[in-house]
Amino acid sequence: MATAADTRPDADLDAFRAEVKSFLAASFPDSLKGKGNALRSVEGPTDETAEETAWRTAMAERGWGTPTWPKEYGGGGLSKQQAKVLQQEMAMAGAWNPIGGMGVMMFGPTLLEYGSEAQKQEHIPPITRGEIRWCQGYSEPNAGSDLASLQTSAEDKGDHYLVNGQKTWTSGGQWADKCFCLVRTDRSDKHKGISFLLIDMDSPGVEVKPITMISGMSPFCETFFTDVKVPKANLVGEEGQGWTIGKRLLQHERTNISGGGALASLNAQPLSKIAEHYIGTDENGRLADPEMRVKIAEFEMAWNTFLLTARRAMEESKAKGGVSEISSILKNVGSKLGQQRAEMLIEIMGFRGLGWEGEGFTDKELKHVRGWLFGKATSIYGGSTEIQNNIIAKRILGMLDHQ
Amino acid sequence: MAVLNEEQTMLRDMAQEWTKNESPVTAWRKVRDEGSNFDPAAWSAMGEMGWTGVIIPEEFGGSDFGWMSLGLVVEQLGKTLTASPLVASSLAAGAIILGGSQAQKEAFLPRLASGELVGTLAFDDGPRHSGAVSTVAVSEGKLTGTKPFVHEAESAGLFVVLASDGVYLVEKGAGVTLSDRELTDMRDHAEVTFDGAAAERLADGGDDLAEAILDRARILTGAEMLGMAQHVFDETLDYLKQRTQFNQVLSTFQSLQHRMAELFTDLELMRTAVEAGLQALDTGFRVPEAACLAKSRANDVLHVISRQGIQLHGGIGMTDEYDVGFYLKRARVLEASWGNSGFLKDRHAKLAGY
Ligand SMILES: Cc1cc2nc3c(=O)[nH]c(=O)nc-3n(C[C@H](O)[C@H](O)[C@H](O)COP(=O)(O)OP(=O)(O)OC[C@H]3O[C@@H](n4cnc5c(N)ncnc54)[C@H](O)[C@@H]3O)c2cc1C
């Protein structure tokens, strides 16, 4: 739906730009430049400093952490163009969005679409203020790619559901306040028996056990539910509608993995600059390793093609008023490029790019190693590369299973 | 698999049995959790089994079985990620065999053969391998300079050091300081600084000594990588045959079958290249070319297999509890050792004269 804001003349955008500039000058302290956001960090939350709190609050007051969400629920109510201006100005000032996490990336947009008025009133504002952490209770030991075979059950007990079962790979489960869960309310139908339920992580009967990852971090958990009482008001949509809602949320997750979030800023520091630092240049000022030079050029060209394609997908979907078919390929391309870049960095840095901890490595180098390992997950979660390819083959290309 | 003689078959089978029973990946996990370099009992067992002397001539206490034989053992150790300085120490012995005087051989080879002394190569001046070049200076038999990443440095008592005018032996002691470097594979690495350390030149190896040592390093490292690749492949195949999703065993999905078929093809090509490298060392025929081929195939194939190992295990592959991540982490360290594929492609072209 077109809003008045979509057709604002550019002059108005200039005014908005000026507003953003002065806001940033007043509210974003230099000392926070280039720092990350604890809520979005894969390493888990760190305690917020007073300065960080002030920055988060300033952004929350304007709703600019969730710039395009409706104002009535605490969002910024900005048009896409305005949001882009905000993003550009923040990047220029070295500022970052202090409001993030699964609530912003996946759950919020889904609830805005499917939630009841009461649910939106209750859950969206705390997300826009960065006060509540959400985690995703989808996967189970025997329901990964085949998510619909999930077994965690929610039994109707009149005024509440009684939840029993086990989730796994619940990222951030140990730090989360709430969990959006897919649960089974009916055993007779694989897909129609699934419902979308919101569970407080501090409810009696919820137990969380962190699992250490190959990157050394433990942001993901096994989550056990034993006779957990969940109020009926926490059912999103209708009973049995969970698969539809859950898949919608996965689209947001995929979009974030491929387009927004970490990847958008991925090539912020160009590989060529990093390579010049580690490898050096020849007498013509070119990277001293000609093979690496070609590889970096290849990567950058692929990266640019990816960005152009992402833009094309956006333009197409805007023109068509639906999701563009090519958006299905973006998650795979994005995760592949992200992983490729991380591997190249390791190659560029040599042993310095393989440090685990301790002396002899810069913080950046150590962070990179962990990021390289963690990044292997982008082609697994949110629907693995293989599953995306199946979806493309079947839904878009109409290639059917061998019968 | 190369056609093996009786001796080699026995050695390989023994190594396979030993690693399976005495040194499975759980043994490495234990070593890592304890924060140590290797299990001393396992190392002395290797000495007793004669593995530390496989390439050392009989007159110096070795068995003189040759590089192919050593490669077979190293491949088995690679499969189970057995932590030991066997590769490093054998390379140091190889350097002395190539370039040492009779006196140097007598002084060091018997101790290396028994495993009582551990040797290692200290070659690269920077974090990336850049061939047989070094700025480490020697004056009046004293060596000064820094080698930022040396494998098995903590365990070593003897360093084979590349300096600006040749290759030197330096014993751990006065003028040698170590600073631990913890890499992602959690193995024994350190920065080694020489500050007027007493050094003896390996004077009998000719102008190409450093290159010849590096060729050996490339090939033997390739053998370790071969074992790792084989193991990740086997484990992944087993996993796909047992994990069920969509009411089907994963191995029934054609896309995964084709992927495994391609990895299998790559793996077999890698095996050929590595074994050909080991054979080249034993026959002395076109070693530099063979070393280039062995290490570059090993780099490329292990790179892909270690990534696919994680991918095909799904979420479980991302956990520390599962072994497959260990192989990914060790793989990149070995890939960076003695020449990445870019370096080796360039070297191939140079050797071929273009
Ligand atoms: C870092 C990380 C964070 C995660 N965070 C969360 C979270 O917060 N909440 C949550 O609910 N889940 C989370 N997950 C779980 C993630 O969604 C699952 O790991 C993913 O869906 C894959 O399932 P699986 O691990 O069971 O792998 P499996 O489904 O067992 O797949 C194993 C391999 O087989 C392939 N495969 C499976 N089926 C097919 C097929 N039909 N055709 C071809 N290939 C196939 C897969 O692509 C994969 O390569 C996370 C995972 C990771 C790694």
Side-chain angles (χ1 to χ4, degrees):
Chain A
M1 196 182 68
T3 65
D6 284 329
T7 51
R8 275 188 203 218
D10 274 355
D12 276 11
L13 272 187
D14 285 348
F16 179 70
R17 193 180 291 278
E19 183 189 340
V20 173
K21 270 192 207 298
S22 67
F23 164 75
L24 288 173
S27 310
F28 185 74
D30 271 356
S31 54
L32 289 183
K33 247 188 198 176
K35 283 189 77 177
N37 169 7
L39 269 175
R40 272 193 317 208
S41 160
V42 289
E43 290 158 62
T46 43
D47 283 337
E48 224 177 35
T49 62
E51 240 176 357
E52 285 164 348
T53 310
W55 168 233
R56 181 166 57 79
T57 314
M59 283 288 277
E61 272 168 9
R62 290 168 182 255
W64 284 1
T66 47
T68 57
W69 292 15
K71 261 203 150 106
E72 51 190 309
Y73 305 118
L78 301 183
S79 68
K80 277 191 177 145
Q81 290 92 326
Q82 287 174 316
K84 202 167 167 193
V85 167
L86 174 65
Q87 200 186 356
Q88 287 166 347
E89 289 303 319
M90 285 186 36
M92 227 124 80
W96 39 273
N97 189 347
I99 292 159
M102 290 191 189
V104 171
M105 294 188 307
M106 315 168 190
F107 175 62
T110 311
L111 195 72
L112 282 171
E113 190 173 343
Y114 288 98
S116 67
E117 186 54 33
Q119 286 168 337
K120 291 185 214 174
Q121 298 274 8
E122 180 184 352
H123 298 297
I124 303 288
I127 295 175
T128 65
R129 294 194 299 266
E131 289 169 356
I132 288 282
R133 264 176 240 279
W134 283 88
C135 67
Q136 178 183 39
Y138 275 32
S139 304
E140 298 181 11
N142 291 310
S145 297
D146 182 16
L147 185 57
S149 65
L150 61 94
Q151 294 300 327
T152 296
S153 65
E155 219 184 310
D156 191 338
K157 292 282 177 186
D159 65 334
H160 67 271
Y161 289 104
L162 198 64
V163 177
N164 277 288
Q166 181 195 348
K167 294 288 174 183
T168 192
W169 320 135
T170 338
S171 295
Q174 72 270 57
W175 305 302
D177 306 294
K178 291 169 191 283
C179 181
F180 51 91
C181 257
L182 291 179
V183 293
R184 184 155 293 290
T185 41
D186 177 2
R187 297 208 175 274
S188 65
D189 188 293
K190 191 174 175 181
H191 293 98
K192 289 187 197 131
I194 295 173
S195 299
F196 195 101
L197 200 59
L198 312 179
I199 302 181
D200 276 2
M201 291 300 276
D202 57 9
S203 317
V206 178
E207 195 193 348
V208 177
K209 286 194 194 147
I211 305 170
T212 306
M213 299 177 75
I214 57 175
S215 54
M217 307 180 293
S218 322
F220 73 19
C221 302
E222 290 177 288
T223 307
F224 299 88
F225 300 101
T226 317
D227 289 338
V228 179
K229 283 187 177 178
V230 181
K232 280 236 165 128
N234 285 11
L235 177 75
V236 178
E238 310 198 339
E239 220 175 75
Q241 212 194 344
W243 186 243
T244 309
I245 304 175
K247 278 195 302 186
R248 185 81 183 109
L249 185 136
L250 281 175
Q251 284 181 349
H252 292 296
E253 180 173 8
R254 280 161 198 165
T255 312
N256 268 289
I257 294 167
S258 56
L263 276 180
S265 57
L266 185 82
N267 214 22
Q269 204 192 356
L271 277 177
S272 54
K273 285 280 162 280
I274 304 173
E276 279 172 11
H277 171 74
Y278 283 93
I279 300 174
T281 48
D282 65 14
E283 61 277 7
N284 299 316
R286 297 217 177 97
L287 192 62
D289 176 342
E291 202 238 359
M292 188 50 78
R293 217 176 132 243
V294 173
K295 268 173 114 169
I296 291 174
E298 263 171 18
F299 173 81
E300 282 188 346
M301 292 161 86
W303 180 251
N304 291 341
T305 312
F306 168 63
L307 291 182
L308 288 168
T309 309
R311 192 197 295 170
R312 184 186 132 206
M314 238 172 67
E315 283 165 3
E316 279 184 8
S317 58
K318 219 166 35 187
K320 267 200 329 202
V323 177
S324 161
E325 284 188 341
I326 53 165
S327 67
S328 314
I329 67 174
L330 293 178
K331 196 235 170 197
N332 280 0
V333 181
S335 57
K336 183 171 147 198
L337 287 172
Q339 291 177 356
Q340 196 181 333
R341 184 176 191 275
E343 292 284 4
M344 282 174 71
L345 269 176
I346 291 219
E347 200 181 333
I348 287 167
M349 295 179 187
F351 292 117
R352 290 271 292 280
L354 289 160
W356 190 247
E357 58 195 18
E359 271 181 80
F361 308 99
T362 64
D363 281 353
K364 246 190 183 158
E365 286 165 351
L366 293 177
K367 222 170 139 183
H368 171 63
V369 184
R370 312 287 176 132
W372 159 64
L373 290 167
F374 188 82
K376 294 291 177 242
T378 55
S379 52
I380 297 172
Y381 60 52
S384 67
T385 299
E386 291 76 12
I387 294 302
Q388 296 305 323
N389 281 338
N390 284 346
I391 293 174
I392 294 168
K394 284 179 197 161
R395 300 231 189 99
I396 301 179
L397 307 179
M399 300 167 82
L400 298 178
D401 272 340
H402 165 79
Q403 296 298 325
Chain B
M1 166 111 30
V3 180
L4 305 179
N5 63 32
E6 207 178 315
E7 230 162 48
Q8 289 167 332
T9 309
M10 273 174 58
L11 191 64
R12 196 235 7 235
D13 292 350
M14 179 170 88
Q16 207 160 23
E17 277 297 294
W18 185 84
T19 48
K20 218 172 83 195
N21 298 324
E22 309 295 327
S23 180
V25 189
T26 46
W28 155 244
R29 186 181 286 279
K30 195 160 159 269
V31 168
R32 182 201 67 163
D33 291 347
E34 286 165 357
S36 44
N37 294 323
F38 57 85
D39 172 7
W43 177 241
S44 64
M46 287 182 209
E48 276 156 31
M49 292 183 287
W51 295 354
T52 45
V54 174
I55 55 145
I56 295 175
E58 288 179 37
E59 54 176 318
F60 301 114
S63 61
D64 208 6
F65 278 178
W67 290 90
M68 183 72 207
S69 300
L70 178 59
L72 293 168
V73 172
V74 167
E75 180 190 337
Q76 303 310 317
L77 298 179
K79 282 188 189 169
T80 55
L81 293 174
T82 301
S84 82
L86 185 70
V87 170
S89 208
S90 300
L91 291 171
I96 296 172
I97 294 167
L98 282 169
S101 64
Q102 184 67 17
Q104 284 167 332
K105 288 177 183 164
E106 281 169 10
F108 295 110
L109 290 180
R111 288 161 63 207
L112 289 169
S114 71
E116 152 207 348
L117 176 69
V118 168
T120 191
L121 305 183
F123 266 50
D124 294 320
D125 285 11
R128 282 160 59 87
H129 176 72
S130 53
V133 286
S134 173
T135 57
V136 169
V138 191
S139 117
E140 292 167 11
K142 304 272 189 208
L143 199 138
T144 299
T146 296
K147 299 291 181 180
F149 292 92
V150 178
H151 297 294
E152 319 294 346
E154 301 275 352
S155 323
L158 178 70
F159 296 98
V160 178
V161 187
L162 180 67
S164 55
D165 68 338
V167 180
Y168 289 79
L169 296 180
V170 177
E171 287 190 79
K172 204 179 247 174
V176 180
T177 35
L178 258 61
S179 174
D180 199 30
R181 286 289 175 271
E182 201 161 318
L183 298 184
T184 178
D185 67 346
M186 299 292 191
R187 290 281 292 265
D188 178 4
H189 307 279
E191 176 181 274
V192 183
T193 302
F194 303 100
D195 185 8
E200 289 181 35
R201 185 150 196 253
L202 289 178
D204 297 348
D207 289 345
D208 292 337
L209 175 64
E211 293 289 2
I213 294 169
L214 282 170
D215 287 338
R216 279 153 182 73
R218 287 170 190 139
I219 292 166
L220 203 56
T221 302
E224 182 177 346
M225 294 168 89
L226 175 61
M228 290 167 62
Q230 181 74 58
H231 179 86
V232 174
F233 181 84
D234 292 345
E235 281 284 290
T236 305
L237 185 59
D238 281 354
Y239 187 74
L240 293 180
K241 285 179 179 171
Q242 135 229 312
R243 169 80 171 163
T244 303
Q245 291 282 278
F246 306 99
N247 294 324
Q248 284 189 55
V249 180
L250 288 182
S251 62
T252 59
F253 293 120
Q254 197 173 50
S255 74
L256 301 185
Q257 292 173 347
H258 285 188
R259 182 146 354 143
M260 291 307 280
E262 272 172 28
L263 292 179
F264 176 73
T265 308
D266 285 347
L267 181 61
E268 288 304 311
L269 295 172
M270 171 186 187
R271 176 172 293 285
T272 315
V274 170
E275 288 178 349
L278 292 162
Q279 280 165 338
L281 288 180
D282 284 333
T283 58
F285 183 68
R286 305 196 73 159
V287 171
E289 288 83 353
C292 245
L293 195 67
K295 182 67 174 23
S296 67
R297 288 306 86 195
N299 284 347
D300 294 349
V301 177
L302 181 58
H303 188 99
V304 175
I305 288 187
S306 60
R307 289 183 64 168
Q308 288 298 335
I310 302 272
Q311 178 68 22
L312 293 172
H313 275 80
I316 270 182
M318 291 294 295
T319 64
D320 184 73
E321 207 176 312
Y322 251 65
D323 296 335
V324 60
F326 287 160
Y327 291 81
L328 176 76
K329 296 187 218 183
R330 176 80 175 149
R332 294 303 175 274
V333 172
L334 296 181
E335 197 180 326
S337 303
W338 320 123
N340 61 23
S341 291
F343 174 88
L344 294 166
K345 278 185 226 168
D346 184 58
R347 182 161 159 79
H348 168 93
K350 281 180 186 149
L351 289 167
Y354 62 94

